[in-house]
Amino acid sequence: MIEQIFTLTQGDQKTVEKVLMDENIHYVHMIFNKGEGMPEHFANAKNIYMTVIRGLLSIGLDEQEIHEYSAGTMLKIPFNTKMNVRNLHDATLELIVVKAPSPEAK
């Protein structure tokens, strides 16, 4: 078998899984229920690509007010941006986050 296979968790339970973490990219799958999210932090990769798979993402970047993005939306967030990622709604939120290049890349 030439390809590598990675399986994402299915369901509605809170999940933050590091699916692929190598020298090229970090690929992280997240599932959050209402009131859940990530601790406030700063983007640690040159670019972060955040794709909303389902639900409604509520995100505050730097000092701007919270914006909301629905399924099918991809955000590109630059290095060192303060991020506050939350699910403020009843529907389950599911995200794919890709950091490229990987924070470890030289």
Side-chain angles (χ1 to χ4, degrees):
M1 180 180 261
I2 296 171
E3 70 277 8
Q4 288 183 287
I5 299 170
F6 304 90
T7 304
L8 306 181
T9 297
Q10 302 281 312
D12 295 329
Q13 295 292 334
K14 181 179 180 179
T15 302
V16 177
E17 60 185 341
K18 297 174 180 178
V19 179
L20 175 60
M21 308 290 276
D22 68 14
E23 68 281 359
N24 300 305
I25 68 166
H26 285 183
Y27 187 100
V28 183
H29 176 234
M30 302 177 187
I31 300 171
F32 298 119
N33 291 296
K34 185 175 184 177
E36 297 176 336
M38 298 292 296
E40 188 173 80
H41 63 287
F42 287 86
N44 66 343
K46 182 175 180 182
N47 294 292
I48 293 182
Y49 303 93
M50 184 177 294
T51 304
V52 182
I53 302 301
R54 63 181 166 135
L56 190 62
L57 168 65
S58 299
I59 186 167
L61 298 174
D62 283 337
E63 301 307 319
Q64 75 182 14
E65 64 185 48
I66 292 175
H67 292 156
E68 295 189 327
Y69 299 97
S70 59
T73 304
M74 184 176 81
L75 308 176
K76 180 180 177 185
I77 302 167
F79 177 73
N80 211 31
T81 300
K82 183 170 62 172
M83 300 189 302
N84 187 354
V85 177
R86 309 292 307 158
N87 179 3
L88 301 177
H89 301 277
D90 290 332
T92 300
L93 171 63
E94 185 170 6
L95 303 169
I96 298 294
V97 175
V98 175
K99 296 180 179 184
S102 160
E104 290 90 27
K106 303 284 185 213

Short mmCIF file of all heavy atoms in Angstrom, two decimals, residues 49-88:
data_model
loop_
_atom_site.label_atom_id
_atom_site.label_comp_id
_atom_site.label_asym_id
_atom_site.label_seq_id
_atom_site.Cartn_x
_atom_site.Cartn_y
_atom_site.Cartn_z
N TYR A 49 -5.41 27.51 8.16
CA TYR A 49 -6.60 27.38 7.33
C TYR A 49 -7.64 26.63 8.16
O TYR A 49 -7.40 25.50 8.57
CB TYR A 49 -6.28 26.62 6.05
CG TYR A 49 -5.17 27.28 5.26
CD1 TYR A 49 -3.84 26.90 5.43
CD2 TYR A 49 -5.46 28.30 4.36
CE1 TYR A 49 -2.83 27.51 4.72
CE2 TYR A 49 -4.44 28.92 3.65
CZ TYR A 49 -3.13 28.52 3.83
OH TYR A 49 -2.12 29.13 3.13
N MET A 50 -8.76 27.27 8.42
CA MET A 50 -9.79 26.71 9.28
C MET A 50 -11.06 26.52 8.45
O MET A 50 -11.61 27.49 7.93
CB MET A 50 -10.05 27.65 10.47
CG MET A 50 -11.03 27.12 11.48
SD MET A 50 -11.21 28.26 12.88
CE MET A 50 -9.58 28.18 13.61
N THR A 51 -11.51 25.27 8.30
CA THR A 51 -12.69 24.96 7.50
C THR A 51 -13.82 24.52 8.41
O THR A 51 -13.63 23.60 9.24
CB THR A 51 -12.39 23.85 6.48
OG1 THR A 51 -11.27 24.24 5.68
CG2 THR A 51 -13.59 23.57 5.60
N VAL A 52 -14.97 25.15 8.27
CA VAL A 52 -16.17 24.77 9.03
C VAL A 52 -16.86 23.64 8.26
O VAL A 52 -17.32 23.84 7.13
CB VAL A 52 -17.12 25.96 9.22
CG1 VAL A 52 -18.32 25.55 10.07
CG2 VAL A 52 -16.39 27.15 9.84
N ILE A 53 -16.92 22.46 8.87
CA ILE A 53 -17.54 21.29 8.25
C ILE A 53 -19.03 21.26 8.54
O ILE A 53 -19.84 20.97 7.67
CB ILE A 53 -16.87 19.98 8.74
CG1 ILE A 53 -15.37 20.00 8.46
CG2 ILE A 53 -17.55 18.76 8.14
CD1 ILE A 53 -15.01 20.15 7.00
N ARG A 54 -19.39 21.55 9.79
CA ARG A 54 -20.81 21.63 10.17
C ARG A 54 -20.95 22.56 11.35
O ARG A 54 -20.01 22.81 12.10
CB ARG A 54 -21.41 20.26 10.46
CG ARG A 54 -20.79 19.53 11.63
CD ARG A 54 -21.45 18.17 11.83
NE ARG A 54 -20.62 17.36 12.72
CZ ARG A 54 -21.08 16.65 13.73
NH1 ARG A 54 -22.38 16.60 13.97
NH2 ARG A 54 -20.27 15.95 14.48
N GLY A 55 -22.16 23.09 11.51
CA GLY A 55 -22.42 24.01 12.60
C GLY A 55 -22.08 25.45 12.24
O GLY A 55 -21.96 25.80 11.06
N LEU A 56 -21.92 26.27 13.28
CA LEU A 56 -21.66 27.69 13.12
C LEU A 56 -20.50 28.09 14.03
O LEU A 56 -20.61 27.99 15.25
CB LEU A 56 -22.92 28.49 13.48
CG LEU A 56 -22.94 29.97 13.17
CD1 LEU A 56 -22.81 30.22 11.66
CD2 LEU A 56 -24.24 30.58 13.67
N LEU A 57 -19.40 28.48 13.43
CA LEU A 57 -18.19 28.90 14.15
C LEU A 57 -18.35 30.33 14.63
O LEU A 57 -18.70 31.21 13.85
CB LEU A 57 -16.98 28.81 13.22
CG LEU A 57 -15.69 29.46 13.71
CD1 LEU A 57 -15.16 28.77 14.96
CD2 LEU A 57 -14.65 29.46 12.59
N SER A 58 -18.09 30.56 15.91
CA SER A 58 -18.02 31.91 16.48
C SER A 58 -16.55 32.14 16.81
O SER A 58 -15.98 31.43 17.64
CB SER A 58 -18.87 32.02 17.74
OG SER A 58 -20.23 31.76 17.44
N ILE A 59 -15.93 33.13 16.15
CA ILE A 59 -14.50 33.34 16.33
C ILE A 59 -14.19 34.82 16.48
O ILE A 59 -14.67 35.65 15.71
CB ILE A 59 -13.69 32.72 15.16
CG1 ILE A 59 -12.18 32.81 15.42
CG2 ILE A 59 -14.08 33.31 13.83
CD1 ILE A 59 -11.35 31.96 14.47
N GLY A 60 -13.38 35.13 17.50
CA GLY A 60 -12.86 36.47 17.69
C GLY A 60 -11.39 36.46 17.34
O GLY A 60 -10.65 35.60 17.83
N LEU A 61 -10.97 37.36 16.47
CA LEU A 61 -9.57 37.45 16.05
C LEU A 61 -9.01 38.80 16.49
O LEU A 61 -9.62 39.84 16.24
CB LEU A 61 -9.46 37.30 14.53
CG LEU A 61 -9.94 35.95 13.99
CD1 LEU A 61 -9.94 35.96 12.47
CD2 LEU A 61 -9.10 34.81 14.54
N ASP A 62 -7.86 38.75 17.15
CA ASP A 62 -7.24 39.93 17.74
C ASP A 62 -8.29 40.67 18.56
O ASP A 62 -8.93 40.05 19.40
CB ASP A 62 -6.55 40.80 16.70
CG ASP A 62 -5.21 40.21 16.26
OD1 ASP A 62 -4.62 39.43 17.03
OD2 ASP A 62 -4.76 40.53 15.15
N GLU A 63 -8.49 41.96 18.32
CA GLU A 63 -9.43 42.73 19.15
C GLU A 63 -10.77 42.98 18.45
O GLU A 63 -11.61 43.72 18.97
CB GLU A 63 -8.79 44.06 19.54
CG GLU A 63 -7.49 43.91 20.32
CD GLU A 63 -7.59 43.00 21.54
OE1 GLU A 63 -8.59 43.06 22.27
OE2 GLU A 63 -6.65 42.20 21.75
N GLN A 64 -11.00 42.34 17.30
CA GLN A 64 -12.27 42.56 16.61
C GLN A 64 -13.40 41.80 17.30
O GLN A 64 -13.16 40.85 18.04
CB GLN A 64 -12.17 42.18 15.14
CG GLN A 64 -12.17 40.69 14.85
CD GLN A 64 -12.01 40.36 13.38
OE1 GLN A 64 -11.66 41.21 12.57
NE2 GLN A 64 -12.27 39.13 13.02
N GLU A 65 -14.62 42.21 17.05
CA GLU A 65 -15.79 41.54 17.62
C GLU A 65 -15.89 40.13 17.04
O GLU A 65 -15.25 39.81 16.02
CB GLU A 65 -17.06 42.33 17.30
CG GLU A 65 -17.38 42.41 15.82
CD GLU A 65 -18.57 43.30 15.52
OE1 GLU A 65 -18.62 44.42 16.04
OE2 GLU A 65 -19.43 42.85 14.76
N ILE A 66 -16.67 39.28 17.68
CA ILE A 66 -16.86 37.91 17.24
C ILE A 66 -17.62 37.90 15.91
O ILE A 66 -18.63 38.57 15.76
CB ILE A 66 -17.62 37.09 18.30
CG1 ILE A 66 -16.73 36.91 19.53
CG2 ILE A 66 -18.07 35.74 17.74
CD1 ILE A 66 -17.40 36.24 20.69
N HIS A 67 -17.08 37.14 14.96
CA HIS A 67 -17.75 36.92 13.68
C HIS A 67 -18.19 35.46 13.65
O HIS A 67 -17.59 34.61 14.30
CB HIS A 67 -16.82 37.21 12.50
CG HIS A 67 -16.48 38.65 12.37
ND1 HIS A 67 -15.35 39.09 11.74
CD2 HIS A 67 -17.11 39.77 12.78
CE1 HIS A 67 -15.30 40.41 11.75
NE2 HIS A 67 -16.36 40.85 12.39
N GLU A 68 -19.23 35.18 12.86
CA GLU A 68 -19.74 33.82 12.76
C GLU A 68 -19.67 33.33 11.32
O GLU A 68 -19.94 34.10 10.39
CB GLU A 68 -21.17 33.75 13.31
CG GLU A 68 -21.18 34.06 14.80
CD GLU A 68 -22.52 33.81 15.45
OE1 GLU A 68 -23.57 33.99 14.80
OE2 GLU A 68 -22.51 33.44 16.64
N TYR A 69 -19.31 32.05 11.17
CA TYR A 69 -19.13 31.45 9.86
C TYR A 69 -19.81 30.09 9.83
O TYR A 69 -19.67 29.29 10.76
CB TYR A 69 -17.64 31.31 9.53
CG TYR A 69 -16.95 32.65 9.51
CD1 TYR A 69 -16.25 33.11 10.62
CD2 TYR A 69 -17.02 33.46 8.39
CE1 TYR A 69 -15.63 34.34 10.61
CE2 TYR A 69 -16.40 34.71 8.37
CZ TYR A 69 -15.71 35.13 9.48
OH TYR A 69 -15.09 36.36 9.48
N SER A 70 -20.54 29.82 8.75
CA SER A 70 -21.31 28.59 8.63
C SER A 70 -20.52 27.52 7.87
O SER A 70 -19.46 27.77 7.31
CB SER A 70 -22.63 28.88 7.91
OG SER A 70 -22.38 29.43 6.63
N ALA A 71 -21.09 26.31 7.85
CA ALA A 71 -20.50 25.16 7.16
C ALA A 71 -20.19 25.53 5.71
O ALA A 71 -20.96 26.23 5.05
CB ALA A 71 -21.44 23.97 7.23
N GLY A 72 -19.06 25.07 5.24
CA GLY A 72 -18.63 25.34 3.88
C GLY A 72 -17.72 26.55 3.77
O GLY A 72 -17.28 26.89 2.68
N THR A 73 -17.42 27.20 4.89
CA THR A 73 -16.56 28.39 4.91
C THR A 73 -15.15 28.00 5.33
O THR A 73 -14.97 27.21 6.26
CB THR A 73 -17.11 29.44 5.89
OG1 THR A 73 -18.44 29.75 5.55
CG2 THR A 73 -16.26 30.70 5.88
N MET A 74 -14.15 28.57 4.65
CA MET A 74 -12.75 28.38 5.06
C MET A 74 -12.16 29.74 5.37
O MET A 74 -12.32 30.69 4.60
CB MET A 74 -11.92 27.70 3.98
CG MET A 74 -10.50 27.42 4.45
SD MET A 74 -9.49 26.52 3.27
CE MET A 74 -8.98 27.84 2.19
N LEU A 75 -11.48 29.84 6.52
CA LEU A 75 -10.79 31.06 6.92
C LEU A 75 -9.29 30.85 6.79
O LEU A 75 -8.79 29.77 7.07
CB LEU A 75 -11.08 31.39 8.39
CG LEU A 75 -12.54 31.45 8.84
CD1 LEU A 75 -12.61 31.69 10.33
CD2 LEU A 75 -13.28 32.51 8.09
N LYS A 76 -8.58 31.90 6.40
CA LYS A 76 -7.11 31.90 6.39
C LYS A 76 -6.69 32.91 7.45
O LYS A 76 -7.00 34.10 7.34
CB LYS A 76 -6.56 32.29 5.02
CG LYS A 76 -5.04 32.29 4.97
CD LYS A 76 -4.56 32.68 3.59
CE LYS A 76 -3.04 32.75 3.56
NZ LYS A 76 -2.55 33.25 2.25
N ILE A 77 -5.99 32.43 8.47
CA ILE A 77 -5.63 33.26 9.62
C ILE A 77 -4.10 33.36 9.67
O ILE A 77 -3.41 32.35 9.72
CB ILE A 77 -6.19 32.65 10.92
CG1 ILE A 77 -7.71 32.52 10.81
CG2 ILE A 77 -5.77 33.47 12.13
CD1 ILE A 77 -8.35 31.67 11.87
N PRO A 78 -3.56 34.58 9.67
CA PRO A 78 -2.10 34.74 9.64
C PRO A 78 -1.42 34.50 10.99
O PRO A 78 -2.07 34.50 12.04
CB PRO A 78 -1.91 36.20 9.19
CG PRO A 78 -3.18 36.89 9.51
CD PRO A 78 -4.27 35.85 9.52
N PHE A 79 -0.11 34.35 10.93
CA PHE A 79 0.74 34.11 12.09
C PHE A 79 0.52 35.16 13.18
O PHE A 79 0.33 36.33 12.91
CB PHE A 79 2.21 34.12 11.65
CG PHE A 79 3.18 33.96 12.78
CD1 PHE A 79 3.33 32.74 13.41
CD2 PHE A 79 3.93 35.04 13.23
CE1 PHE A 79 4.22 32.59 14.46
CE2 PHE A 79 4.83 34.89 14.27
CZ PHE A 79 4.96 33.67 14.90
N ASN A 80 0.54 34.68 14.41
CA ASN A 80 0.51 35.50 15.61
C ASN A 80 -0.80 36.26 15.82
O ASN A 80 -0.84 37.23 16.57
CB ASN A 80 1.70 36.47 15.66
CG ASN A 80 2.13 36.75 17.08
OD1 ASN A 80 2.01 35.91 17.96
ND2 ASN A 80 2.63 37.95 17.33
N THR A 81 -1.87 35.82 15.17
CA THR A 81 -3.19 36.41 15.39
C THR A 81 -3.80 35.78 16.63
O THR A 81 -3.80 34.55 16.77
CB THR A 81 -4.11 36.14 14.18
OG1 THR A 81 -3.53 36.71 13.01
CG2 THR A 81 -5.50 36.71 14.40
N LYS A 82 -4.32 36.61 17.54
CA LYS A 82 -4.99 36.08 18.73
C LYS A 82 -6.33 35.48 18.29
O LYS A 82 -7.08 36.12 17.56
CB LYS A 82 -5.20 37.17 19.77
CG LYS A 82 -5.84 36.66 21.06
CD LYS A 82 -5.83 37.68 22.19
CE LYS A 82 -6.62 38.90 21.85
NZ LYS A 82 -6.79 39.82 23.00
N MET A 83 -6.61 34.26 18.74
CA MET A 83 -7.81 33.55 18.31
C MET A 83 -8.63 33.11 19.52
O MET A 83 -8.08 32.59 20.49
CB MET A 83 -7.45 32.32 17.49
CG MET A 83 -6.68 32.62 16.23
SD MET A 83 -6.49 31.18 15.16
CE MET A 83 -5.66 30.02 16.22
N ASN A 84 -9.93 33.30 19.43
CA ASN A 84 -10.88 32.82 20.42
C ASN A 84 -11.94 32.04 19.65
O ASN A 84 -12.83 32.62 19.04
CB ASN A 84 -11.49 33.99 21.19
CG ASN A 84 -12.35 33.54 22.34
OD1 ASN A 84 -12.60 32.35 22.53
ND2 ASN A 84 -12.84 34.49 23.11
N VAL A 85 -11.81 30.71 19.65
CA VAL A 85 -12.66 29.81 18.86
C VAL A 85 -13.71 29.19 19.77
O VAL A 85 -13.37 28.52 20.76
CB VAL A 85 -11.80 28.70 18.21
CG1 VAL A 85 -12.65 27.71 17.45
CG2 VAL A 85 -10.73 29.32 17.32
N ARG A 86 -15.01 29.39 19.45
CA ARG A 86 -16.10 28.91 20.30
C ARG A 86 -17.27 28.40 19.46
O ARG A 86 -17.46 28.82 18.33
CB ARG A 86 -16.66 30.04 21.18
CG ARG A 86 -15.68 30.84 21.96
CD ARG A 86 -14.97 30.17 23.09
NE ARG A 86 -15.86 29.52 24.04
CZ ARG A 86 -15.49 28.53 24.84
NH1 ARG A 86 -14.26 28.09 24.81
NH2 ARG A 86 -16.31 27.99 25.69
N ASN A 87 -18.06 27.54 20.10
CA ASN A 87 -19.38 27.19 19.58
C ASN A 87 -20.40 27.82 20.52
O ASN A 87 -20.56 27.37 21.66
CB ASN A 87 -19.58 25.68 19.50
CG ASN A 87 -20.96 25.32 18.98
OD1 ASN A 87 -21.75 26.18 18.62
ND2 ASN A 87 -21.25 24.03 18.94
N LEU A 88 -21.09 28.83 20.07
CA LEU A 88 -22.08 29.53 20.89
C LEU A 88 -23.50 29.10 20.56
O LEU A 88 -24.45 29.70 21.04
CB LEU A 88 -21.94 31.05 20.70
CG LEU A 88 -20.57 31.63 21.06
CD1 LEU A 88 -20.54 33.13 20.76
CD2 LEU A 88 -20.22 31.36 22.51
#
